[in-house]
Amino acid sequence: MTIRVALIDDQALFRAGIAMVVGSQDDLTVVGEAGDGGEAVALVETSRPDVVLMDVRMPRVDGVEATRLIVARFGEDAPRVLVLTTFDLDELAADAIEAGASGFVLKETRPEFLLAAIRAVADGTQVVAAGATRAVFERFRERATATPGADYERLTPREREILLRAAQGLSNAEIAAAEFLSEATVKTHVSRILGKLALRDRVQLVVYAYEHGLL
């Protein structure tokens, strides 16, 4: 299946370069571009991308607000948002994750890593720039005052174990090996966990775990 990608960045030359890289892949296609976050909702409405590559710093409407607008407008049907940033500990990138983005990568990242990141978020996996993962999510732990509520109580003991392993960054294959399950079973459990906790994807699952003191 071809992954539909939209680009939102205020630098036309940068967009052109990314479009060239993405368009070189048989399983990826660029379906739309915009130069400002204020155009995000309209772009998603018309192009229906699976993944939006979003510059976090733009002069009028930045990537954080654009992400928030997309999630608010499209809800569960919103595309995955992969934020592009210049700094690996960019506060705005962390804000974008809180707003609903599925992760972020550095603009200077190697093309093959960017392509892998697009495929990963399209598949529901979180992606955070190398070296920044713990620092980003520790930010959510700092304000963790909530205890797990009724939604967490609805999880089975096995689902709670898988939630913790997923929040620790383990892949489905790694969780399957640790829990002596098939990958398909793990995937089903993760989907059920996300549904019970009303979370969009695995990056939101990680945020949930930190905010509720589970990690």
Side-chain angles (χ1 to χ4, degrees):
M1 184 179 68
T2 300
I3 299 171
R4 299 167 59 83
V5 180
L7 312 175
I8 303 178
D9 193 290
D10 61 322
Q11 299 180 20
L13 189 59
F14 181 78
R15 290 202 312 271
I18 295 297
M20 185 178 300
V21 171
V22 172
S24 70
Q25 304 297 297
D26 292 337
D27 62 331
L28 305 176
T29 184
V30 176
V31 295
E33 299 182 28
D36 185 78
E39 304 171 48
V41 170
L43 178 63
V44 172
E45 188 80 64
T46 57
S47 62
R48 296 294 176 178
D50 301 303
V51 176
V52 175
L53 294 182
M54 178 83 72
D55 183 14
V56 74
R57 294 180 180 273
M58 291 179 281
R60 290 201 313 116
V61 178
D62 66 27
V64 178
E65 181 60 21
T67 299
R68 190 174 291 115
L69 291 171
I70 289 172
V71 172
R73 169 65 178 82
F74 299 99
E76 293 183 358
D77 296 324
R80 309 297 184 191
V81 176
L82 182 61
V83 168
L84 303 174
T85 178
T86 305
F87 313 106
D88 59 357
L89 294 179
D90 193 335
E91 285 294 311
L92 284 182
D95 289 341
I97 287 178
E98 188 172 18
S102 294
F104 70 91
V105 296
L106 299 180
K107 283 191 170 185
E108 64 182 21
T109 194
R110 296 167 63 90
E112 57 267 30
F113 182 81
L114 175 62
L115 295 171
I118 293 171
R119 295 181 178 107
V121 296
D123 193 43
T125 302
Q126 73 269 25
V127 175
V128 177
T133 306
R134 181 167 296 279
V136 167
F137 291 115
E138 283 290 343
R139 170 178 167 177
F140 298 106
R141 188 206 297 273
E142 290 173 1
R143 62 168 190 267
T145 56
T147 56
D151 52 355
Y152 181 78
E153 295 301 321
R154 288 196 295 269
L155 300 180
T156 66
R158 174 55 64 84
E159 288 171 343
R160 294 180 191 181
E161 291 177 7
I162 291 176
L163 183 157
L164 289 177
R165 294 188 185 278
Q168 290 165 351
L170 274 65
S171 67
N172 285 350
E174 291 168 331
I175 295 173
E179 296 287 333
F180 302 102
L181 299 171
S182 69
E183 286 190 51
T185 299
V186 171
K187 188 172 183 179
T188 298
H189 277 305
V190 171
S191 295
R192 287 175 179 169
I193 292 166
L194 295 176
K196 289 180 179 181
L197 299 180
L199 304 173
R200 293 185 63 241
D201 54 27
R202 289 172 73 121
V203 75
Q204 298 301 311
L205 186 152
V206 178
V207 171
Y208 178 93
Y210 272 90
E211 287 184 327
H212 292 84
L214 301 177
L215 288 177

